[in-house]
């Protein structure tokens, strides 16, 4: 089978396009990675090239040794993925040490994988350890979530609580909550380590004044998670545009009441008793 006829490639490209139309991918912003299943890579083997140069990942991901990934290209625009996927995305293989990669398909006009490859692979590695079904890591620049990083404290528990309160679906969709990485230089190992520390336990990491990372078991779940957080962030931006205090909201025991019916365990760290009714005060 040709790569672009495979369901995983179609799902990958659709997610890029959907993200662009949400307005989350200005210019070359954002990146997406997918850890390809064994049977999926076997089905497209005829199109893979194994003679490319091996290059350093920039970090070490031994638990991903020998695996294949579909990733967006560095400097490539999400809006172009639909019209020419083979020029804007690629399939890479990680070597048996987990330290180098080889491009085996795609980026036909040249280029390299996303500059955030260390973050993507380190996140995929910690996610695989906590749940082998997690295969997708997605990074984008959603405006409302970014806006909140200027007015809420950069504390994951506070961020989670304020965003949870904006929509009942939020604690059901991400009961473990959200982590926050303070401003750091993107593209390197340091921010990759900080993000993967969050992804050991949580599916969402916000990069202050930059954007968001989400992981999930498939494209629908990961895109839906990003969409849910950003929608709730939009509601919070609207509320904060009207007032810095809420008249009423979802209270801690109301969140706890969701555990049974939805089979979840909401993160108790985020259900602190508030000392103030001012939004963002702990
Ligand atoms: Zn970014």
């Amino acid at each position: 089978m040709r790569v672009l006829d495979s369901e995983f490639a179609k799902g990958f490209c659709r997610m890029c396009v959907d993200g662009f139309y949400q307005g989350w991918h200005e210019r070359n912003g954002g990146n997406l990675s997918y850890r390809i299943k064994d049977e999926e890579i076997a089905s497209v083997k005829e199109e893979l090239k194994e003679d490319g140069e091996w290059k350093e990942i920039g970090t070490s991901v031994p638990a991903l040794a020998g695996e294949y990934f579909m990733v967006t290209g560095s400097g490539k625009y999400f809006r172009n993925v639909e019209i020419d996927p083979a020029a804007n995305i690629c399939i890479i293989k990680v070597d048996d040490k987990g330290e180098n990669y080889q491009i085996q398909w795609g980026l036909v006009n040249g280029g390299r994988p996303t500059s955030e490859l260390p973050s993507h692979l380190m996140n995929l590695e910690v996610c695989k350890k906590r749940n082998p079904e997690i295969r997708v890591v997605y990074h984008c620049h959603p405006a409302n979530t970014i806006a909140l990083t200027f007015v809420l404290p950069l504390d994951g528990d506070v961020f989670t609580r304020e965003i949870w309160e904006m929509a009942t679906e939020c604690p059901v969709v991400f009961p473990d909550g959200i982590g926050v990485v303070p401003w750091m230089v993107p593209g390197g190992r340091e921010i990759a380590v900080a993000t993967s520390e969050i992804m050991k336990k949580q599916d969402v990491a916000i990069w202050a004044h930059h954007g968001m990372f989400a992981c999930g078991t498939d494209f629908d779940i990961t895109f839906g998670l990003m969409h849910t957080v950003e929608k709730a962030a939009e509601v919070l931006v609207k509320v904060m545009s009207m007032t810095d205090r809420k008249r009423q909201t979802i209270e801690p025991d109301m969140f706890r009441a969701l555990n049974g019916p939805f089979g979840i365990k909401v993160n108790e760290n985020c259900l602190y008793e508030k000392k103030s009714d001012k939004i963002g005060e702990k």
Side-chain angles (χ1 to χ4, degrees), residues 4 9 19 23 27 32 42-43 50 54 58 106 117 125 129 140 143 152 154 162 171 176 190 192 213 225 241 263:
L4 292 177
R27 204 171 180 276
L32 175 63
S43 74
E50 298 184 334
W54 287 93
L117 190 64
E125 185 183 46
K129 287 176 181 170
C140 67
L152 291 183
L154 299 179
E162 296 296 347
D176 299 318
E190 197 184 345
F213 266 84
L225 173 58
S241 303

Side-chain angles (χ1 to χ4, degrees), residues 114-126:
T114 167
S115 58
E116 298 296 352
L117 190 64
S119 276
H120 277 266
L121 293 181
M122 289 188 82
N123 287 331
L124 285 164
E125 185 183 46
V126 298

Side-chain angles (χ1 to χ4, degrees), residues 244-257:
D244 63 351
R245 285 160 211 277
K246 297 166 198 151
R247 179 182 285 268
Q248 58 273 322
T249 188
I250 306 171
E251 301 290 350
D253 280 341
M254 297 156 82
F255 286 116
R256 292 184 182 103

Side-chain angles (χ1 to χ4, degrees), residues 26 28-31 116 139-141 186 207 210-213:
E26 75 290 342
N28 61 324
N31 22 76
E116 298 296 352
H139 169 61
C140 67
H141 299 166
W207 283 6
H210 181 148
M212 184 154 44
F213 266 84

Side-chain angles (χ1 to χ4, degrees), residues 224-265:
L225 173 58
M226 189 68 80
H227 210 174
T228 302
V229 176
E230 172 61 5
K231 176 76 177 285
E234 182 182 352
V235 178
L236 185 52
V237 167
K238 289 180 195 292
V239 171
M240 293 181 84
S241 303
M242 294 182 279
T243 177
D244 63 351
R245 285 160 211 277
K246 297 166 198 151
R247 179 182 285 268
Q248 58 273 322
T249 188
I250 306 171
E251 301 290 350
D253 280 341
M254 297 156 82
F255 286 116
R256 292 184 182 103
L258 298 168
N259 284 339
F262 289 95
I264 54 171
K265 182 86 187 76

Side-chain angles (χ1 to χ4, degrees), residues 44-274:
V44 299
K45 207 81 184 178
E46 65 193 63
E47 251 201 302
L48 302 182
K49 294 187 174 62
E50 298 184 334
D51 55 355
E53 194 185 336
W54 287 93
K55 293 181 179 158
E56 287 182 1
I57 295 167
T59 189
S60 178
V61 285
L64 301 181
E67 292 214 61
Y68 294 80
F69 302 84
M70 181 165 266
V71 296
T72 47
S74 177
K76 306 298 183 188
Y77 290 39
F78 267 52
R79 67 185 283 262
N80 292 336
V81 169
E82 185 175 32
I83 54 166
D84 194 357
N88 293 288
I89 64 178
C90 61
I91 291 176
I92 60 167
K93 182 179 185 181
V94 169
D95 70 359
D96 55 13
K97 290 203 292 278
E99 290 176 2
N100 301 284
Y101 71 87
Q102 181 188 55
I103 298 175
Q104 295 206 346
W105 175 90
L107 292 176
V108 292
N109 301 327
R112 55 190 173 84
T114 167
S115 58
E116 298 296 352
L117 190 64
S119 276
H120 277 266
L121 293 181
M122 289 188 82
N123 287 331
L124 285 164
E125 185 183 46
V126 298
C127 289
K128 182 186 175 188
K129 287 176 181 170
R130 102 172 129 93
N131 175 3
E133 300 299 314
I134 298 179
R135 296 186 171 274
V136 183
V137 167
Y138 179 39
H139 169 61
C140 67
H141 299 166
N144 293 288
T145 302
I146 296 169
L148 291 176
T149 68
F150 295 89
V151 294
L152 291 183
L154 299 179
D155 174 322
D157 293 345
V158 176
F159 243 92
T160 302
R161 176 68 172 275
E162 296 296 347
I163 287 187
W164 274 359
E165 287 185 29
M166 293 303 107
T168 302
E169 68 171 333
C170 284
V172 177
V173 174
F174 47 102
D176 299 318
I178 298 169
V180 180
V181 176
W183 188 89
M184 293 171 82
V185 176
R189 189 172 182 278
E190 197 184 345
I191 197 166
V193 170
T195 312
S196 63
E197 278 302 311
I198 290 170
M199 291 240 169
K200 282 179 182 170
K201 293 187 195 142
Q202 296 169 308
D203 294 339
V204 187
I206 291 171
W207 283 6
H209 323 323
H210 181 148
M212 184 154 44
F213 266 84
C215 69
T217 52
D218 64 26
F219 298 117
D220 282 343
I221 289 196
T222 313
F223 189 84
L225 173 58
M226 189 68 80
H227 210 174
T228 302
V229 176
E230 172 61 5
K231 176 76 177 285
E234 182 182 352
V235 178
L236 185 52
V237 167
K238 289 180 195 292
V239 171
M240 293 181 84
S241 303
M242 294 182 279
T243 177
D244 63 351
R245 285 160 211 277
K246 297 166 198 151
R247 179 182 285 268
Q248 58 273 322
T249 188
I250 306 171
E251 301 290 350
D253 280 341
M254 297 156 82
F255 286 116
R256 292 184 182 103
L258 298 168
N259 284 339
F262 289 95
I264 54 171
K265 182 86 187 76
V266 294
N267 186 346
E268 280 287 329
N269 294 339
C270 308
L271 300 183
Y272 49 84
E273 286 301 324
K274 291 187 179 179

